[in-house]
Amino acid sequence: MKEYILITGASSGIGYEMAHQLAEKAHNLILVARTESKLKQMQTALTKKYGVLIHYYVADLSDPNVARDLHKKIKDENLLVTHLVNNAGVGNYGHFTETSLDEELDMIHLNISSLVVLTKLFAQDMVKRRSGRIMNIGSVVSFLPMPYFSVYSATKAFVLAFSDTLAAELEGTGVTILSLYPGTVDTAFTTSEMQTTNLHKTKPMHPEIVAEYGVKHLLEGHGKKVIGLQNWFNSKLPNFVPASIMMKIKKNLASQK
């Protein structure tokens, strides 16, 4: 049976770059995103350039039931998923009392609920085979929750706690749980951050570079990986700086200029 790597949020940003880099390494892929035209274009281009097998599914994972259906469709088509990359995610910026409740509920469903659904269902399959790797994409705000990114930060803090604890649970099963933590990435999401103090101090990393770290970690790594020395240092600050002072620093960084 042919083996596949499943990537959610595959049509742009980190997911798009990972798909290209994994195809170049001769891995067959299952791509998931909301826009069929982009997925179809990727399927054609990657198949032609690298000769790999590409399947795609159009899915809006802001509905966890869609995540359940996705797993069923893949199983029904007898596609063997050996690696899962939970990359799909969204964020927003602003004062919590002024941001959209509906958008934030969709964010929670996408960044948390569907990630849990896919991880549970595919992990169950992998445990039965005693083999598999699942990588969840977090953020440096998983370690440093930021004011004005309150719900987004909370969803990424969940990714950290969930990934670490699940990795411990699955030790000895043959299934490896990984997590990846980039800092600011040059994607559409950074548009809302462009006027914050933080973005003026930190140059966003190109998705291609983040994907290089991601591909290596997915295929060879263990545990969690924070990308970049500065981000690694920042992730450790809460261990040394008092919480009240740390929050003041973070509020200043996240404030608009």
Side-chain angles (χ1 to χ4, degrees), residues 148-195:
Y148 312 117
F149 296 95
S150 57
V151 177
Y152 175 72
S153 292
T155 66
K156 292 303 181 180
F158 176 91
V159 170
L160 172 61
F162 175 64
S163 300
D164 280 358
T165 53
L166 184 57
E169 281 189 38
L170 294 182
E171 285 180 359
T173 66
V175 179
T176 302
I177 303 297
L178 309 152
S179 49
L180 188 75
Y181 303 93
T184 305
V185 183
D186 189 9
T187 65
F189 178 40
T190 61
T191 301
S192 63
E193 296 183 74
M194 287 305 295
Q195 300 305 314

Side-chain angles (χ1 to χ4, degrees), residues 106-121:
D106 284 345
M107 186 195 312
I108 292 168
H109 289 318
L110 176 61
N111 294 8
I112 296 179
S113 300
S114 287
L115 179 146
V116 170
V117 170
L118 293 176
T119 300
K120 180 179 285 287
L121 296 177

